[in-house]
Amino acid sequence: MAWKWRSVAAAFLCCTAASVAQAADLRIGVSAFPLSVDPHFYNGVGDRNLSLHLFSRLVEQKGDLSLAPGLATEWRPVSETVWEFTLREGVKWSDGQPVTPEDVIFSLTRSANIPNSPLGYAPFTRDIAHAEVAGPRTVRIVTRQPSPVLPANLSAISIVAKHAVESRESGDFESAAVSTGAGPYRLVSFGRNDRAVMERNPSYWGERPEWDRVEMRFIANEGARSAALLAGDVDLIDSPSRNDLPRLRRDNRFRVVSVPGNRPIMLLPNFRAVRSRKLRLAVKLARSPNNVTMPRDRITRPFSTAPAVLRTV
């Protein structure tokens, strides 16, 4: 499965043992469901989790945040403000048509200009002045100033098929014909606030996905997600309830795994408000080592961990 760029500080509760490992289908209960199948519409957890299954990027980001070849096999700066990306040979969209440099340029432009996007991808392409075709498999990107982090930024931008998407709106992506991608899976159906069903993409350029069919079900309540897992209605859930974790850790049917998250959360005071002596005193007491409500080491911590639970029997 494509779990690259996992939900930041997300928690995964999964069943991947003998019974599930032999299955061809995977059912996931998710807490954050996509607002849209359009990979450029909203930079949110649910939307990214879906788009990582359906689409590819020029540069991929691995679980340790290092960069890896995606639709581009190599990239290099040719001057302080020019990068060249060489596309992987023979890649096809899920409808069988070839991926071209024009698709890449179209996607870079489109991702920054989505109407009514609540949180878009423009920050990732703000350094780009323009992009151009520099050969049958080469895209040249000119930046407004030196941009050494451009490859990392482009690992956030899904590449879409120009022939399927041009002149379409975000809502049209719920059609499998419009959501044509180059990811490990292709869309079968999408029910808003219900579920997304995907099947393995036979045209995928990368490693063959483990599952024939993946179903993402929206289960907002964390207790209901745990109940669905325990009942066997789903094979994996994200964001398990902290109250359920001790019991699941004791249950030998499950294995709990924790991984570091990389989401920064900062406490930013309102400096007008801190003119109040009473407020300053309250903050001081809250940060006291003897205060059990807000221990000092919980105000600033270098990492948080995201638990995962796997079924072992």
Side-chain angles (χ1 to χ4, degrees):
M1 291 185 58
W3 287 115
K4 299 175 289 296
W5 200 314
R6 294 169 174 80
S7 330
V8 283
F12 293 97
L13 182 64
C14 32
C15 311
T16 58
S19 59
V20 178
Q22 301 301 320
D25 297 350
L26 180 67
R27 301 161 301 169
I28 311 171
V30 298
S31 58
F33 202 70
L35 297 183
S36 174
V37 183
D38 182 349
H40 301 152
F41 181 72
Y42 179 51
N43 185 14
V45 170
D47 295 64
R48 286 200 58 83
N49 281 345
L50 179 60
S51 67
L52 287 168
H53 290 77
L54 300 176
F55 302 94
S56 292
R57 289 133 293 279
L58 279 178
V59 181
E60 298 290 357
Q61 192 175 83
K62 298 191 291 186
D64 61 1
L65 305 185
S66 62
L67 301 181
L71 293 180
T73 55
E74 58 183 271
W75 50 91
R76 65 187 183 95
V78 295
S79 75
E80 287 191 349
T81 58
V82 177
W83 284 83
E84 283 190 353
F85 292 78
T86 302
L87 300 188
R88 191 180 296 273
E89 188 172 5
V91 178
K92 294 183 178 180
W93 297 109
S94 55
D95 65 3
Q97 296 198 39
V99 175
T100 68
E102 287 81 5
D103 293 316
V104 174
I105 294 171
F106 171 78
S107 300
L108 296 179
T109 302
R110 181 182 186 275
S111 63
N113 297 280
I114 301 298
N116 303 315
S117 170
L119 180 64
Y121 288 85
F124 297 99
T125 59
R126 66 177 55 171
D127 285 349
I128 298 177
H130 67 271
E132 58 192 34
V133 177
R137 292 173 43 228
T138 304
V139 174
R140 181 178 296 131
I141 298 177
V142 180
T143 60
R144 293 183 171 86
Q145 61 273 326
S147 182
V149 297
L150 182 66
N153 284 339
L154 294 185
S155 70
I157 306 299
S158 294
I159 304 303
V160 298
K162 181 179 179 180
H163 68 273
V165 174
E166 195 169 26
S167 301
R168 297 285 191 165
E169 298 180 352
S170 292
D172 296 329
F173 274 76
E174 296 180 15
S175 163
V178 177
S179 60
T180 295
Y185 292 91
R186 59 188 180 187
L187 187 70
V188 174
S189 63
F190 180 83
R192 190 174 299 278
N193 292 326
D194 179 24
R195 68 192 64 197
V197 180
M198 298 164 280
E199 63 184 6
R200 182 189 289 122
N201 177 11
S203 301
Y204 181 50
W205 54 268
E207 183 178 351
R208 184 177 184 270
E210 295 182 27
W211 309 99
D212 292 334
R213 190 178 180 92
V214 175
E215 182 177 297
M216 297 175 65
R217 300 182 186 177
F218 177 56
I219 308 175
N221 182 273
E222 58 186 19
R225 286 196 302 277
S226 294
L229 177 76
L230 294 168
D233 296 332
V234 295
D235 306 308
L236 179 153
I237 69 171
D238 71 354
S239 302
S241 167
R242 297 180 67 88
N243 295 330
D244 289 335
L245 285 175
R247 176 166 62 97
L248 291 166
R249 286 190 170 99
R250 292 192 301 268
D251 192 326
N252 60 13
R253 295 175 300 166
F254 301 97
R255 177 185 173 197
V256 179
V257 180
S258 296
V259 297
N262 68 341
R263 181 179 184 178
I265 300 177
M266 299 173 289
L267 179 65
L268 300 176
N270 181 329
F271 288 100
R272 289 187 177 181
V274 297
R275 293 176 181 175
S276 165
R277 183 177 181 278
K278 291 182 179 179
L279 178 60
R280 294 198 304 272
L281 180 60
V283 172
K284 179 180 179 180
L285 291 174
R287 297 184 69 242
S288 168
N290 297 322
N291 189 295
V292 295
T293 303
M294 190 185 297
R296 186 185 302 269
D297 65 351
R298 292 197 177 185
I299 293 179
T300 55
R301 285 189 287 182
F303 293 100
S304 60
T305 57
V309 184
L310 296 86
R311 186 186 298 275
T312 58
V313 294

